[in-house]
Amino acid sequence: MQLIRFILMLAVFAVSYWGGFLAYEGTLWLVWEQTLDGDLKATVFWSAVAYIIILGPLYLIVCFIIKSKVKHRLSRFLLYPVTCALTFVVPTTFILLVWGGGSLLSPEAQLFHAFFATSGFLFGLGFGLVSLLSSKRATGA
């Protein structure tokens, strides 16, 4: 059971990362009509590093806090994706402060909003589904 849960959570990490990355690319195209072209490898590498070191753990912390504080399963299931998606402000603010200021409402920030909000939503949704599946297996339902 634990191995299955671990494998499912690895899938949640992967799907949420790539979903966020595709949202970043889609926003890049919609806002500036540009593609990553030669920057693709560097963008994948650095966004994956940021995801593994910062975002994945941040999403897990958010989900574990919700799991420990909210007792109703449906409420938790709804809160996971919404709350994880709303954490987009934290990494976007960090990036803007470290690499060039700017506004949280700037077109550049929209790229990060798209990435982090989408990946957070997908992570929370996946975490909620894995939790529901695990609780149903544990209760024999």
Side-chain angles (χ1 to χ4, degrees), residues 87-103:
T87 63
F88 77 86
V89 173
V90 175
T92 302
T93 302
F94 176 77
I95 288 169
L96 292 175
L97 288 174
V98 172
W99 284 287
S103 164

Side-chain angles (χ1 to χ4, degrees), residues 26-137:
T27 303
L28 181 63
W29 175 250
L30 288 173
V31 174
W32 285 292
E33 295 183 0
Q34 294 179 5
T35 62
L36 287 171
D37 291 331
D39 295 331
L40 180 63
K41 287 181 184 177
T43 305
V44 168
F45 176 78
W46 287 110
S47 63
V49 168
Y51 186 88
I52 291 166
I53 294 172
I54 299 167
L55 290 174
L58 176 64
Y59 296 150
L60 277 175
I61 290 167
V62 167
C63 289
F64 285 132
I65 289 171
I66 291 169
K67 192 171 188 171
S68 71
K69 301 292 182 191
V70 179
K71 299 304 174 203
H72 189 259
R73 280 190 206 169
L74 180 59
S75 297
R76 279 195 314 238
F77 183 76
L78 296 173
L79 281 173
Y80 291 141
V82 171
T83 308
C84 285
L86 289 175
T87 63
F88 77 86
V89 173
V90 175
T92 302
T93 302
F94 176 77
I95 288 169
L96 292 175
L97 288 174
V98 172
W99 284 287
S103 164
L104 285 173
L105 302 175
S106 69
E108 295 84 8
Q110 290 176 16
L111 293 169
F112 301 116
H113 295 335
F115 185 108
F116 301 136
T118 302
S119 85
F121 182 84
L122 292 172
F123 187 95
L125 184 63
F127 186 93
L129 291 172
V130 170
S131 294
L132 282 177
L133 184 75
S134 296
S135 67
K136 286 188 184 218
R137 284 182 171 246

